[in-house]
Amino acid sequence: MAKTYEGGVPLVEVIRSGFVEGMHRGSVVVLDTAGTVLAAAGDVDSPIFPRSSSKPMQAVGMLRAGLPLTEPADLAMVAASHAGEEFHLARVAGLLADGGFDEAALHCPPELPVGEQARAAVLRAGGGPTRIQMNCSGKHAGMLLTCRAAGWSVDGYWRPEHPLQQRLRDTIEEFTGESAAAVGVDGCGAPVLAVSLTGLAGAYRRLVAADTGSVPGAVADAMRAYPEIVGGTEADDTRLMRGVPGLLAKVGAEGVIAAALPGVGAVALKIDDGAARARMPVLVSALRRLAVDAPVLTEFAEIPLFGGALPVGTLRSLW
């Protein structure tokens, strides 16, 4: 049985009208360029599901298995948790068409876009959930293309025992330096592997340290070159990569985010209750421990709370 995540410590306080309304607990780790832990809080050694923060490693595994993509924007799409904006959907559709697939080949479930503006536009137009709008459709398109290139059946390409998923597991274990403690089913239906926050931060450190001409370097470079594809026009990881040159960042569901800057270090964190709103103040605190600063970090250091459509409080890091 896998070691159980013990939970974190108070990391973020919620202040409304000058009153401490609540707090979010979690765990966070900061590594230097050698992989040494510089700072940590909570349980950073027990396994957690990184969720979509695993996507850069999965993209590396797909390329190594034969994924026939060379356009950086396409690689960014395979590693994306997209907002469902029109340019996202067009690129996923193009990937599927290039491989001779249609949307029905995707195993990810039909959903509305996760981006608020994109979702509102679909509803205004009378649309509904579709597979291509699901935020992991780029990853699934990449999986289909990889299977075709490698000569593997696409039947059950999402199952843990499929050759594709075995390759992706090998890649994640290589980059995190850990054996997967558990295998779960992610929100998109593909496998998700449990590793520690320390392992996750170490994987991002390795990604940004990779040579530009290498497969890991190609994925990291593509994500940083096309941050809007990775998330969306207003996504947190997109804004981070736009605002901090060289930073690689990727969010995951249930309050996870990982980030790394070449020659500086890496960070990974999880908010225990899964609240996305609490991630960014802690990430800012962690990056500042690595002497990283930029105007976008000031924007994310405190998250405003509203009452009657007016700002009446804030979320801020306790760490």
Side-chain angles (χ1 to χ4, degrees), residues 153-173:
S153 171
V154 298
D155 292 340
Y157 73 86
W158 60 89
R159 300 189 187 282
E161 64 271 17
H162 191 283
L164 169 68
Q165 301 302 336
Q166 291 294 307
R167 292 288 188 94
L168 302 191
R169 176 173 181 154
D170 290 344
T171 305
I172 289 172
E173 291 182 338

Side-chain angles (χ1 to χ4, degrees), residues 19-48:
F19 180 82
V20 178
E21 184 176 27
M23 65 181 60
H24 295 281
R25 302 173 68 91
S27 300
V28 55
V29 64
V30 181
L31 306 182
D32 66 13
T33 55
T36 302
V37 175
L38 292 181
D43 183 2
V44 300
D45 296 318
S46 299
I48 55 100

Side-chain angles (χ1 to χ4, degrees), residues 236-300:
D236 288 349
D237 42 14
T238 294
R239 292 174 60 193
L240 277 170
M241 289 190 283
R242 278 201 307 243
V244 183
L247 186 74
L248 177 69
K250 183 71 188 71
V251 301
E254 295 299 325
V256 176
I257 189 168
L261 195 60
V264 177
V267 175
L269 67 90
K270 175 177 174 58
I271 302 301
D272 288 353
D273 63 8
R277 69 177 187 171
R279 284 185 299 218
M280 300 309 291
V282 183
L283 183 69
V284 170
S285 179
L287 288 173
R288 285 177 171 168
R289 288 165 190 257
L290 290 169
V292 178
D293 205 1
V296 70
L297 298 188
T298 301
E299 295 174 28
F300 279 127

Side-chain angles (χ1 to χ4, degrees), residues 27 51 62 72 85 138 150 177 203 216 239 259 267 281 295 317:
S27 300
R51 305 297 296 272
M62 289 185 231
E85 297 171 77
R239 292 174 60 193
V267 175
S317 176

Side-chain angles (χ1 to χ4, degrees), residues 36-97:
T36 302
V37 175
L38 292 181
D43 183 2
V44 300
D45 296 318
S46 299
I48 55 100
F49 284 138
R51 305 297 296 272
S52 285
S53 293
S54 298
K55 283 178 178 173
M57 293 173 278
Q58 291 173 314
V60 169
M62 289 185 231
L63 282 174
R64 287 176 171 176
L67 177 64
L69 297 180
T70 57
E71 170 59 45
D74 289 337
L75 294 180
M77 190 75 255
V78 171
S81 296
H82 65 75
E85 297 171 77
E86 289 186 9
F87 65 92
H88 292 128
L89 306 185
R91 188 162 293 276
V92 177
L95 291 175
L96 290 171

Side-chain angles (χ1 to χ4, degrees), residues 29-31 176 196-206 258-260 265-268:
V29 64
V30 181
L31 306 182
T176 61
S196 72
L197 286 170
T198 301
L200 181 61
Y204 275 66
R205 180 184 68 84
R206 293 181 176 94
V267 175

